[in-house]
Amino acid sequence: MKRVLLSLAIAALAQVALAEPFVWPSEWTVAEPGEAVSGGTLRTYDISNPRTFNPFVSAESHASRDLLMLQGASLLLLPPDSDEWIPYAAESFEVSEDGTVVDLVLREGIKWSDGTPVTVQDYYFRYLAETDPDVGSNAYDSWFIGEEQIQMEITGERSMRFIFPVPDRTAFPVIGSHFPAPDHILGEIYREGGAEALKQAWGLDVDVSETVWTSPWVPTEFLPDERLIYTRNPYFGEWNVDEAGNPLPYLETYSFELVQDQDAALNLYLAGDIDLFAPRNLDDIGVINVAIQNGDIDATVIENASPVASSQFIVFNWNYASNPFKQELFRSADFRRAMSHLVPREAIVELVYGGAASPMWSNVYQVLEYWVNPDVPKFEYDPEAAAELLAGLGFSRRNSDGWLVNAEGQELGFRIITNAGNNQREQIMQLFADAARDIGVNVEAQTLDFNLLVEQLLSVGEDRPFEAILIGLTGGSRDWPFGVNVIPCGTNLHAWNQDPSGECLSPQETLATNLYFEGRQTLDTEAAREIGYEIQNVLASIQPLIFTVSPSAHYSWLNTVRGEHPAEFINDLVGSREAVLTYKVQ
Amino acid sequence: MFPFIVRRFVHLIPTFLGATLLAFVISQLVPGDYFTQLALQPNIRPETLARMRAQYGLDQHWTVQYIRWMGSIFQGDLGVSFASNQEVTDVISRPIKNSMGLVAMSIVMLWLVAIPAGVYSAVRQYSVGDQVVSAFSYFGLAIPNFFFAQVIVLMLFVLRGFTRDAFGYNEVLLPVAGMTSSGWLQMGFWEKRYDIFLHMLIPAFVVATAGMAGFTRVLRGQMLEYLESDFIRTARAKGLGDRTVTYKHALRPAIIPFIAGIGGILPALIGGAGLVEVVMSWPGITPTFLFAIQRQDIYVVLGLLVVSSLLLMVGNLLSDLLLAVVDPRIRYN
């Protein structure tokens, strides 16, 4: 018996020894290989509690999942310095020639935080649960291309296959970032109690120390509204090492102070009670800089690291049947080009954001540099050019009130609204309205409750209840930065044209829609980028969305925290550091 | 007295139903719902949002939602939070407890300071001390709590600069946010109590100063009125000392309205400490309430309103009963 046990132990050790760990490149951090020290606690903050500890129940974006998982065993990884996915929990992957089949082989030696080996069944169980509509996972949509579902199969002890109905860039990252779910715990619950039982598992009332993860740290203590503490997963370092061969992560503990608002977080940072802080604006940066100069804290500030991953634009309503004059006006590309000429982007950057923003010209967030077409048509602030374009539309003389009118005496003007309480947007709207009024366009600027505004924006019909709206969108991807619900005609965020038929109203819309689907099906990133450039060209030429400016992201950390990205990597999408490569010195 | 109590309890039922119906109707008048903000995420399909709305019953008519909600309330279930997917009772019980602790401490602070200050102001009317107390009272009344809290935090940072320059001590003397320190779970029983006490000091003080002003002024007025009364003159004529006259004969009747108001403390406790909780990141009711309103996490908002309404009604009843106990002129027959 002893010999059998010994043989098994040797076999197990050999298995671990044979398993190739993932080596985190030293280029991803400013620290030299071997320089980092292990141990210590990183203290940071979050504004709200996690929503749940259940990896399937999330009605929101992946915010809470990211907070909890902190880089678990996703099959692939998107590096901070490239837009090409690399193998991670999968030791290798292969895409078929037609781009519809992806085969992956799971790395050996990956374990759950309770020591149970991670298997392909764990990935398959997650797929099954996420594609079960009764579970209601937020990831449900991502497993479909149109009406057709992406299929997953287990093809061997360590291999799995994903089959696409058509090649698709937006589905590939779904597979790349596919995490395992513990089949030996949650899978059991699902098989015994179905979707309802699975949804009830691991809520906020669970003893977090009983939950299992593949992430570098695992939640061990949770005090609602106060603190969430993660401690190092001892098994993570068995398949994640630095270039010097040291097991990762370096930090022993990762602690989140759950504060009620950003001001409280800033106070904690200034008191030295947390290590990281994301300054909201130049005021925060000013306060931190004063504290640094006074010697209160020893910290680093990265100002204007990058534009944020969101947009702010003006959209005109093309479906305004009750006012044919304005409908025709809003559908005119020259009118919208003229309005774009009246957006004082440089003034907005200076006056609204104190310089911490950049002009935005295309429908791709500025931070997605790789995808942004620098040569799109730019209708820079130029009231004279705007006046010329409007004159071309027949608005060349002013009435007794000073507003531009056409030959029929119809006055040029419209009502623009934005959501009340968003000070920046209110100021942008006002600056635009002032510039328009200066050349004789009667712009009435109003604010409205956010939800009412969204209802108007999303309304569908021939006569929608708004004229112009200033609003923004968030949520983007480095794989294909065009919103599935935005570009194609007939989708719900194609905000300028919501004709009930779902038809495009201009040839440029049709072209952009076709290019969108062509780009999605192009797996070659360079080729997809070319198509993306063309989409930006087409849309920027007719300005259905008039983009304004993109505010900047800022970072700050106490200098006891090390291992940040090289400065050129730091931006709003990849952040300032890889958590596992972060370490602390005293 | 007993029939009065029964009658009052019976009256609570329509009041409670009316209050909940009103709250529910108002909540339905607000445009959009919890999922509206998600609609602006380019990767979420409208079908998914519709499915989520159906899952939470938000696709039903508001009357159906209200009847379902009331049905569950009578079974002790306040509904489910959209934001945390937890029972509302679980979501709100902890903040209620935290707020109660904070407000209780501020009330103790208030009474410890305001009663002596009010008595002193009355006994030493128009003295320098009275003027100083008055000035502080008006200051407390005038300055908003959330601003005062931020001012105190700022003063702590300024003090740190001083202690660093003078003694090389570069620490902030009191916690500037939160309810516990990062090493709280490793602390012993008394260490934990002390840690919470330290975190509580600034917010409780700020809340107490606001109440102190009104309390001191009213007690001063009451005391002045009683100190001029015939029975006090009689007591002095009998040769009783100043201390006995002031504290035994004048203070006891003067304090009656405050004792009668103890019932009002109940809803005050549940009302939380207001925006000072947000500024100081105290995990109490106000941040929970504001966050729920902001997110349109409607059952959490309604749950807090239900609990507040109930305690307000019970508190008012208690106030009436206490008044009958302490004031012999009042009888409920």
Side-chain angles (χ1 to χ4, degrees), chain A residues 77-86 169 172-173 367-371 477-481 523 525 529 571 573-574:
Chain A
L77 200 64
L78 198 55
D81 56 347
S82 158
D83 283 340
E84 297 288 348
W85 291 85
I86 57 172
R169 296 190 63 79
F172 192 73
V367 66
L368 294 161
E369 269 179 60
Y370 178 84
W371 292 96
S477 158
R478 289 161 68 191
D479 301 283
W480 181 240
L523 297 186
T525 304
R529 177 163 75 163
N571 66 42
L573 283 173
V574 302

PDB file of all heavy atoms in Angstrom, chain A residues 77-86 169 172-173 367-371 477-481 523 525 529 571 573-574:
ATOM      1  N   LEU A  77      -5.333  35.663 -22.292  1.00  0.00           N
ATOM      2  CA  LEU A  77      -5.056  36.918 -21.587  1.00  0.00           C
ATOM      3  C   LEU A  77      -4.786  38.001 -22.625  1.00  0.00           C
ATOM      4  O   LEU A  77      -4.122  37.731 -23.633  1.00  0.00           O
ATOM      5  CB  LEU A  77      -3.811  36.718 -20.714  1.00  0.00           C
ATOM      6  CG  LEU A  77      -3.554  37.666 -19.558  1.00  0.00           C
ATOM      7  CD1 LEU A  77      -4.649  37.541 -18.518  1.00  0.00           C
ATOM      8  CD2 LEU A  77      -2.200  37.321 -18.923  1.00  0.00           C
ATOM      9  N   LEU A  78      -5.291  39.189 -22.372  1.00  0.00           N
ATOM     10  CA  LEU A  78      -5.008  40.311 -23.262  1.00  0.00           C
ATOM     11  C   LEU A  78      -3.890  41.130 -22.622  1.00  0.00           C
ATOM     12  O   LEU A  78      -4.083  41.734 -21.568  1.00  0.00           O
ATOM     13  CB  LEU A  78      -6.273  41.161 -23.436  1.00  0.00           C
ATOM     14  CG  LEU A  78      -6.323  42.113 -24.626  1.00  0.00           C
ATOM     15  CD1 LEU A  78      -6.072  41.391 -25.935  1.00  0.00           C
ATOM     16  CD2 LEU A  78      -7.652  42.837 -24.671  1.00  0.00           C
ATOM     17  N   PRO A  79      -2.706  41.131 -23.222  1.00  0.00           N
ATOM     18  CA  PRO A  79      -1.565  41.809 -22.581  1.00  0.00           C
ATOM     19  C   PRO A  79      -1.757  43.325 -22.547  1.00  0.00           C
ATOM     20  O   PRO A  79      -2.521  43.876 -23.345  1.00  0.00           O
ATOM     21  CB  PRO A  79      -0.379  41.456 -23.484  1.00  0.00           C
ATOM     22  CG  PRO A  79      -0.862  40.424 -24.426  1.00  0.00           C
ATOM     23  CD  PRO A  79      -2.343  40.563 -24.517  1.00  0.00           C
ATOM     24  N   PRO A  80      -1.058  44.000 -21.632  1.00  0.00           N
ATOM     25  CA  PRO A  80      -1.216  45.450 -21.569  1.00  0.00           C
ATOM     26  C   PRO A  80      -0.599  46.177 -22.753  1.00  0.00           C
ATOM     27  O   PRO A  80      -0.934  47.316 -23.018  1.00  0.00           O
ATOM     28  CB  PRO A  80      -0.485  45.823 -20.267  1.00  0.00           C
ATOM     29  CG  PRO A  80       0.476  44.729 -20.035  1.00  0.00           C
ATOM     30  CD  PRO A  80      -0.147  43.484 -20.594  1.00  0.00           C
ATOM     31  N   ASP A  81       0.308  45.487 -23.479  1.00  0.00           N
ATOM     32  CA  ASP A  81       1.036  46.167 -24.548  1.00  0.00           C
ATOM     33  C   ASP A  81       0.644  45.692 -25.933  1.00  0.00           C
ATOM     34  O   ASP A  81       1.337  45.952 -26.904  1.00  0.00           O
ATOM     35  CB  ASP A  81       2.545  45.967 -24.344  1.00  0.00           C
ATOM     36  CG  ASP A  81       2.919  44.496 -24.266  1.00  0.00           C
ATOM     37  OD1 ASP A  81       1.994  43.665 -24.123  1.00  0.00           O
ATOM     38  OD2 ASP A  81       4.112  44.175 -24.361  1.00  0.00           O
ATOM     39  N   SER A  82      -0.447  44.954 -26.045  1.00  0.00           N
ATOM     40  CA  SER A  82      -0.837  44.437 -27.354  1.00  0.00           C
ATOM     41  C   SER A  82      -2.334  44.156 -27.366  1.00  0.00           C
ATOM     42  O   SER A  82      -2.946  43.957 -26.325  1.00  0.00           O
ATOM     43  CB  SER A  82      -0.041  43.151 -27.642  1.00  0.00           C
ATOM     44  OG  SER A  82      -0.707  42.378 -28.592  1.00  0.00           O
ATOM     45  N   ASP A  83      -2.911  44.126 -28.575  1.00  0.00           N
ATOM     46  CA  ASP A  83      -4.325  43.778 -28.692  1.00  0.00           C
ATOM     47  C   ASP A  83      -4.515  42.346 -29.154  1.00  0.00           C
ATOM     48  O   ASP A  83      -5.590  41.957 -29.591  1.00  0.00           O
ATOM     49  CB  ASP A  83      -5.024  44.750 -29.663  1.00  0.00           C
ATOM     50  CG  ASP A  83      -5.284  46.098 -28.986  1.00  0.00           C
ATOM     51  OD1 ASP A  83      -5.293  46.135 -27.757  1.00  0.00           O
ATOM     52  OD2 ASP A  83      -5.473  47.086 -29.702  1.00  0.00           O
ATOM     53  N   GLU A  84      -3.462  41.530 -29.089  1.00  0.00           N
ATOM     54  CA  GLU A  84      -3.555  40.126 -29.484  1.00  0.00           C
ATOM     55  C   GLU A  84      -3.610  39.245 -28.239  1.00  0.00           C
ATOM     56  O   GLU A  84      -2.731  39.325 -27.368  1.00  0.00           O
ATOM     57  CB  GLU A  84      -2.324  39.725 -30.323  1.00  0.00           C
ATOM     58  CG  GLU A  84      -2.193  40.478 -31.636  1.00  0.00           C
ATOM     59  CD  GLU A  84      -3.241  40.048 -32.663  1.00  0.00           C
ATOM     60  OE1 GLU A  84      -3.916  39.027 -32.437  1.00  0.00           O
ATOM     61  OE2 GLU A  84      -3.399  40.772 -33.674  1.00  0.00           O
ATOM     62  N   TRP A  85      -4.628  38.392 -28.162  1.00  0.00           N
ATOM     63  CA  TRP A  85      -4.772  37.491 -27.006  1.00  0.00           C
ATOM     64  C   TRP A  85      -3.635  36.475 -26.987  1.00  0.00           C
ATOM     65  O   TRP A  85      -3.197  36.009 -28.043  1.00  0.00           O
ATOM     66  CB  TRP A  85      -6.108  36.750 -27.080  1.00  0.00           C
ATOM     67  CG  TRP A  85      -7.286  37.649 -26.859  1.00  0.00           C
ATOM     68  CD1 TRP A  85      -7.911  38.404 -27.788  1.00  0.00           C
ATOM     69  CD2 TRP A  85      -7.952  37.891 -25.619  1.00  0.00           C
ATOM     70  NE1 TRP A  85      -8.934  39.113 -27.214  1.00  0.00           N
ATOM     71  CE2 TRP A  85      -8.988  38.805 -25.882  1.00  0.00           C
ATOM     72  CE3 TRP A  85      -7.796  37.420 -24.319  1.00  0.00           C
ATOM     73  CZ2 TRP A  85      -9.847  39.273 -24.893  1.00  0.00           C
ATOM     74  CZ3 TRP A  85      -8.649  37.873 -23.337  1.00  0.00           C
ATOM     75  CH2 TRP A  85      -9.663  38.794 -23.619  1.00  0.00           C
ATOM     76  N   ILE A  86      -3.181  36.146 -25.762  1.00  0.00           N
ATOM     77  CA  ILE A  86      -2.125  35.132 -25.646  1.00  0.00           C
ATOM     78  C   ILE A  86      -2.630  34.000 -24.749  1.00  0.00           C
ATOM     79  O   ILE A  86      -3.509  34.213 -23.915  1.00  0.00           O
ATOM     80  CB  ILE A  86      -0.809  35.727 -25.072  1.00  0.00           C
ATOM     81  CG1 ILE A  86      -1.076  36.376 -23.702  1.00  0.00           C
ATOM     82  CG2 ILE A  86      -0.196  36.719 -26.030  1.00  0.00           C
ATOM     83  CD1 ILE A  86       0.185  36.812 -22.986  1.00  0.00           C
ATOM     84  N   ARG A 169     -15.142  38.433 -34.493  1.00  0.00           N
ATOM     85  CA  ARG A 169     -14.175  39.027 -33.564  1.00  0.00           C
ATOM     86  C   ARG A 169     -14.773  39.254 -32.181  1.00  0.00           C
ATOM     87  O   ARG A 169     -14.089  39.176 -31.184  1.00  0.00           O
ATOM     88  CB  ARG A 169     -13.698  40.391 -34.082  1.00  0.00           C
ATOM     89  CG  ARG A 169     -12.947  40.366 -35.351  1.00  0.00           C
ATOM     90  CD  ARG A 169     -12.324  41.725 -35.621  1.00  0.00           C
ATOM     91  NE  ARG A 169     -11.354  42.073 -34.582  1.00  0.00           N
ATOM     92  CZ  ARG A 169     -10.126  41.596 -34.528  1.00  0.00           C
ATOM     93  NH1 ARG A 169      -9.708  40.765 -35.453  1.00  0.00           N
ATOM     94  NH2 ARG A 169      -9.312  41.948 -33.560  1.00  0.00           N
ATOM     95  N   PHE A 172     -14.807  35.950 -30.101  1.00  0.00           N
ATOM     96  CA  PHE A 172     -13.523  35.357 -29.735  1.00  0.00           C
ATOM     97  C   PHE A 172     -13.045  35.800 -28.347  1.00  0.00           C
ATOM     98  O   PHE A 172     -12.628  34.963 -27.551  1.00  0.00           O
ATOM     99  CB  PHE A 172     -12.485  35.687 -30.817  1.00  0.00           C
ATOM    100  CG  PHE A 172     -11.244  34.885 -30.676  1.00  0.00           C
ATOM    101  CD1 PHE A 172     -11.240  33.532 -31.010  1.00  0.00           C
ATOM    102  CD2 PHE A 172     -10.095  35.449 -30.167  1.00  0.00           C
ATOM    103  CE1 PHE A 172     -10.106  32.772 -30.853  1.00  0.00           C
ATOM    104  CE2 PHE A 172      -8.954  34.701 -29.997  1.00  0.00           C
ATOM    105  CZ  PHE A 172      -8.952  33.351 -30.345  1.00  0.00           C
ATOM    106  N   PRO A 173     -13.130  37.093 -28.013  1.00  0.00           N
ATOM    107  CA  PRO A 173     -12.725  37.499 -26.651  1.00  0.00           C
ATOM    108  C   PRO A 173     -13.586  36.859 -25.562  1.00  0.00           C
ATOM    109  O   PRO A 173     -13.119  36.702 -24.439  1.00  0.00           O
ATOM    110  CB  PRO A 173     -12.934  39.018 -26.644  1.00  0.00           C
ATOM    111  CG  PRO A 173     -13.083  39.419 -28.043  1.00  0.00           C
ATOM    112  CD  PRO A 173     -13.481  38.231 -28.843  1.00  0.00           C
ATOM    113  N   VAL A 367      -8.877  56.352 -26.200  1.00  0.00           N
ATOM    114  CA  VAL A 367      -7.927  55.504 -25.474  1.00  0.00           C
ATOM    115  C   VAL A 367      -7.600  54.237 -26.265  1.00  0.00           C
ATOM    116  O   VAL A 367      -6.542  53.628 -26.083  1.00  0.00           O
ATOM    117  CB  VAL A 367      -8.469  55.156 -24.067  1.00  0.00           C
ATOM    118  CG1 VAL A 367      -9.715  54.289 -24.151  1.00  0.00           C
ATOM    119  CG2 VAL A 367      -7.405  54.489 -23.214  1.00  0.00           C
ATOM    120  N   LEU A 368      -8.486  53.867 -27.199  1.00  0.00           N
ATOM    121  CA  LEU A 368      -8.231  52.677 -28.008  1.00  0.00           C
ATOM    122  C   LEU A 368      -7.367  53.080 -29.198  1.00  0.00           C
ATOM    123  O   LEU A 368      -7.771  52.964 -30.371  1.00  0.00           O
ATOM    124  CB  LEU A 368      -9.567  52.070 -28.481  1.00  0.00           C
ATOM    125  CG  LEU A 368     -10.445  51.519 -27.369  1.00  0.00           C
ATOM    126  CD1 LEU A 368     -11.880  51.381 -27.831  1.00  0.00           C
ATOM    127  CD2 LEU A 368      -9.925  50.184 -26.884  1.00  0.00           C
ATOM    128  N   GLU A 369      -6.185  53.549 -28.893  1.00  0.00           N
ATOM    129  CA  GLU A 369      -5.310  54.183 -29.882  1.00  0.00           C
ATOM    130  C   GLU A 369      -5.147  53.358 -31.155  1.00  0.00           C
ATOM    131  O   GLU A 369      -5.149  53.881 -32.264  1.00  0.00           O
ATOM    132  CB  GLU A 369      -3.922  54.407 -29.282  1.00  0.00           C
ATOM    133  CG  GLU A 369      -3.763  55.744 -28.610  1.00  0.00           C
ATOM    134  CD  GLU A 369      -2.385  55.878 -28.021  1.00  0.00           C
ATOM    135  OE1 GLU A 369      -1.420  55.808 -28.789  1.00  0.00           O
ATOM    136  OE2 GLU A 369      -2.277  56.034 -26.790  1.00  0.00           O
ATOM    137  N   TYR A 370      -4.986  52.058 -30.955  1.00  0.00           N
ATOM    138  CA  TYR A 370      -4.719  51.176 -32.090  1.00  0.00           C
ATOM    139  C   TYR A 370      -5.827  51.290 -33.139  1.00  0.00           C
ATOM    140  O   TYR A 370      -5.584  51.195 -34.332  1.00  0.00           O
ATOM    141  CB  TYR A 370      -4.616  49.733 -31.588  1.00  0.00           C
ATOM    142  CG  TYR A 370      -4.395  48.710 -32.677  1.00  0.00           C
ATOM    143  CD1 TYR A 370      -3.113  48.457 -33.152  1.00  0.00           C
ATOM    144  CD2 TYR A 370      -5.460  48.016 -33.233  1.00  0.00           C
ATOM    145  CE1 TYR A 370      -2.904  47.534 -34.155  1.00  0.00           C
ATOM    146  CE2 TYR A 370      -5.265  47.082 -34.234  1.00  0.00           C
ATOM    147  CZ  TYR A 370      -3.982  46.847 -34.691  1.00  0.00           C
ATOM    148  OH  TYR A 370      -3.781  45.932 -35.693  1.00  0.00           O
ATOM    149  N   TRP A 371      -7.057  51.484 -32.654  1.00  0.00           N
ATOM    150  CA  TRP A 371      -8.206  51.452 -33.542  1.00  0.00           C
ATOM    151  C   TRP A 371      -8.617  52.831 -34.051  1.00  0.00           C
ATOM    152  O   TRP A 371      -9.396  52.926 -35.005  1.00  0.00           O
ATOM    153  CB  TRP A 371      -9.408  50.829 -32.816  1.00  0.00           C
ATOM    154  CG  TRP A 371      -9.205  49.386 -32.530  1.00  0.00           C
ATOM    155  CD1 TRP A 371      -8.743  48.832 -31.375  1.00  0.00           C
ATOM    156  CD2 TRP A 371      -9.440  48.292 -33.418  1.00  0.00           C
ATOM    157  NE1 TRP A 371      -8.683  47.467 -31.477  1.00  0.00           N
ATOM    158  CE2 TRP A 371      -9.105  47.110 -32.726  1.00  0.00           C
ATOM    159  CE3 TRP A 371      -9.893  48.193 -34.733  1.00  0.00           C
ATOM    160  CZ2 TRP A 371      -9.219  45.850 -33.315  1.00  0.00           C
ATOM    161  CZ3 TRP A 371     -10.012  46.941 -35.314  1.00  0.00           C
ATOM    162  CH2 TRP A 371      -9.673  45.782 -34.602  1.00  0.00           C
ATOM    163  N   SER A 477     -14.482  47.620 -26.355  1.00  0.00           N
ATOM    164  CA  SER A 477     -13.621  46.452 -26.370  1.00  0.00           C
ATOM    165  C   SER A 477     -12.386  46.737 -27.202  1.00  0.00           C
ATOM    166  O   SER A 477     -12.446  47.444 -28.201  1.00  0.00           O
ATOM    167  CB  SER A 477     -14.403  45.275 -26.956  1.00  0.00           C
ATOM    168  OG  SER A 477     -13.524  44.303 -27.457  1.00  0.00           O
ATOM    169  N   ARG A 478     -11.267  46.177 -26.786  1.00  0.00           N
ATOM    170  CA  ARG A 478     -10.041  46.350 -27.559  1.00  0.00           C
ATOM    171  C   ARG A 478     -10.033  45.426 -28.779  1.00  0.00           C
ATOM    172  O   ARG A 478      -9.172  45.547 -29.638  1.00  0.00           O
ATOM    173  CB  ARG A 478      -8.828  46.056 -26.683  1.00  0.00           C
ATOM    174  CG  ARG A 478      -8.589  47.129 -25.631  1.00  0.00           C
ATOM    175  CD  ARG A 478      -7.702  46.628 -24.508  1.00  0.00           C
ATOM    176  NE  ARG A 478      -6.342  46.383 -24.932  1.00  0.00           N
ATOM    177  CZ  ARG A 478      -5.429  45.750 -24.197  1.00  0.00           C
ATOM    178  NH1 ARG A 478      -5.762  45.315 -22.995  1.00  0.00           N
ATOM    179  NH2 ARG A 478      -4.211  45.569 -24.636  1.00  0.00           N
ATOM    180  N   ASP A 479     -10.950  44.492 -28.829  1.00  0.00           N
ATOM    181  CA  ASP A 479     -10.971  43.534 -29.927  1.00  0.00           C
ATOM    182  C   ASP A 479     -11.713  44.060 -31.145  1.00  0.00           C
ATOM    183  O   ASP A 479     -11.334  43.803 -32.277  1.00  0.00           O
ATOM    184  CB  ASP A 479     -11.631  42.237 -29.463  1.00  0.00           C
ATOM    185  CG  ASP A 479     -10.885  41.656 -28.301  1.00  0.00           C
ATOM    186  OD1 ASP A 479      -9.825  41.071 -28.534  1.00  0.00           O
ATOM    187  OD2 ASP A 479     -11.333  41.843 -27.158  1.00  0.00           O
ATOM    188  N   TRP A 480     -12.797  44.755 -30.876  1.00  0.00           N
ATOM    189  CA  TRP A 480     -13.604  45.333 -31.952  1.00  0.00           C
ATOM    190  C   TRP A 480     -14.389  46.464 -31.307  1.00  0.00           C
ATOM    191  O   TRP A 480     -15.387  46.216 -30.629  1.00  0.00           O
ATOM    192  CB  TRP A 480     -14.519  44.262 -32.555  1.00  0.00           C
ATOM    193  CG  TRP A 480     -15.378  44.725 -33.691  1.00  0.00           C
ATOM    194  CD1 TRP A 480     -16.735  44.701 -33.733  1.00  0.00           C
ATOM    195  CD2 TRP A 480     -14.957  45.264 -34.950  1.00  0.00           C
ATOM    196  NE1 TRP A 480     -17.182  45.191 -34.929  1.00  0.00           N
ATOM    197  CE2 TRP A 480     -16.108  45.544 -35.703  1.00  0.00           C
ATOM    198  CE3 TRP A 480     -13.707  45.556 -35.515  1.00  0.00           C
ATOM    199  CZ2 TRP A 480     -16.062  46.088 -36.988  1.00  0.00           C
ATOM    200  CZ3 TRP A 480     -13.661  46.093 -36.790  1.00  0.00           C
ATOM    201  CH2 TRP A 480     -14.830  46.351 -37.520  1.00  0.00           C
ATOM    202  N   PRO A 481     -13.909  47.689 -31.473  1.00  0.00           N
ATOM    203  CA  PRO A 481     -14.399  48.775 -30.633  1.00  0.00           C
ATOM    204  C   PRO A 481     -15.706  49.403 -31.086  1.00  0.00           C
ATOM    205  O   PRO A 481     -16.014  50.515 -30.670  1.00  0.00           O
ATOM    206  CB  PRO A 481     -13.252  49.783 -30.710  1.00  0.00           C
ATOM    207  CG  PRO A 481     -12.677  49.578 -32.059  1.00  0.00           C
ATOM    208  CD  PRO A 481     -12.849  48.130 -32.391  1.00  0.00           C
ATOM    209  N   LEU A 523     -10.951  38.042 -38.689  1.00  0.00           N
ATOM    210  CA  LEU A 523     -10.187  37.695 -37.487  1.00  0.00           C
ATOM    211  C   LEU A 523      -8.788  38.295 -37.517  1.00  0.00           C
ATOM    212  O   LEU A 523      -8.178  38.496 -36.470  1.00  0.00           O
ATOM    213  CB  LEU A 523     -10.109  36.177 -37.330  1.00  0.00           C
ATOM    214  CG  LEU A 523     -11.461  35.487 -37.114  1.00  0.00           C
ATOM    215  CD1 LEU A 523     -11.264  33.999 -36.829  1.00  0.00           C
ATOM    216  CD2 LEU A 523     -12.239  36.122 -35.972  1.00  0.00           C
ATOM    217  N   THR A 525      -6.348  40.961 -37.202  1.00  0.00           N
ATOM    218  CA  THR A 525      -6.540  42.239 -36.522  1.00  0.00           C
ATOM    219  C   THR A 525      -6.187  43.425 -37.414  1.00  0.00           C
ATOM    220  O   THR A 525      -6.887  44.436 -37.426  1.00  0.00           O
ATOM    221  CB  THR A 525      -5.717  42.269 -35.224  1.00  0.00           C
ATOM    222  OG1 THR A 525      -6.112  41.124 -34.446  1.00  0.00           O
ATOM    223  CG2 THR A 525      -5.971  43.516 -34.418  1.00  0.00           C
ATOM    224  N   ARG A 529      -8.688  46.294 -38.529  1.00  0.00           N
ATOM    225  CA  ARG A 529      -8.443  47.714 -38.246  1.00  0.00           C
ATOM    226  C   ARG A 529      -8.697  48.574 -39.482  1.00  0.00           C
ATOM    227  O   ARG A 529      -9.267  49.653 -39.388  1.00  0.00           O
ATOM    228  CB  ARG A 529      -7.009  47.925 -37.745  1.00  0.00           C
ATOM    229  CG  ARG A 529      -6.721  49.404 -37.505  1.00  0.00           C
ATOM    230  CD  ARG A 529      -5.521  49.638 -36.667  1.00  0.00           C
ATOM    231  NE  ARG A 529      -4.278  49.419 -37.380  1.00  0.00           N
ATOM    232  CZ  ARG A 529      -3.097  49.859 -36.972  1.00  0.00           C
ATOM    233  NH1 ARG A 529      -3.010  50.523 -35.827  1.00  0.00           N
ATOM    234  NH2 ARG A 529      -2.005  49.624 -37.641  1.00  0.00           N
ATOM    235  N   ASN A 571      -3.039  53.359 -19.077  1.00  0.00           N
ATOM    236  CA  ASN A 571      -4.205  54.057 -19.622  1.00  0.00           C
ATOM    237  C   ASN A 571      -5.483  53.537 -18.973  1.00  0.00           C
ATOM    238  O   ASN A 571      -5.438  52.628 -18.139  1.00  0.00           O
ATOM    239  CB  ASN A 571      -4.250  53.963 -21.154  1.00  0.00           C
ATOM    240  CG  ASN A 571      -4.482  52.556 -21.646  1.00  0.00           C
ATOM    241  OD1 ASN A 571      -5.297  51.826 -21.105  1.00  0.00           O
ATOM    242  ND2 ASN A 571      -3.736  52.168 -22.679  1.00  0.00           N
ATOM    243  N   LEU A 573      -7.817  51.749 -19.953  1.00  0.00           N
ATOM    244  CA  LEU A 573      -8.261  50.378 -20.216  1.00  0.00           C
ATOM    245  C   LEU A 573      -7.440  49.352 -19.453  1.00  0.00           C
ATOM    246  O   LEU A 573      -7.992  48.421 -18.882  1.00  0.00           O
ATOM    247  CB  LEU A 573      -8.177  50.072 -21.717  1.00  0.00           C
ATOM    248  CG  LEU A 573      -9.283  50.655 -22.567  1.00  0.00           C
ATOM    249  CD1 LEU A 573      -8.976  50.428 -24.030  1.00  0.00           C
ATOM    250  CD2 LEU A 573     -10.615  50.026 -22.216  1.00  0.00           C
ATOM    251  N   VAL A 574      -6.132  49.522 -19.419  1.00  0.00           N
ATOM    252  CA  VAL A 574      -5.304  48.498 -18.760  1.00  0.00           C
ATOM    253  C   VAL A 574      -4.928  48.902 -17.341  1.00  0.00           C
ATOM    254  O   VAL A 574      -4.412  48.092 -16.588  1.00  0.00           O
ATOM    255  CB  VAL A 574      -4.027  48.174 -19.564  1.00  0.00           C
ATOM    256  CG1 VAL A 574      -4.370  47.691 -20.950  1.00  0.00           C
ATOM    257  CG2 VAL A 574      -3.089  49.359 -19.639  1.00  0.00           C
TER     258      VAL A 574
END
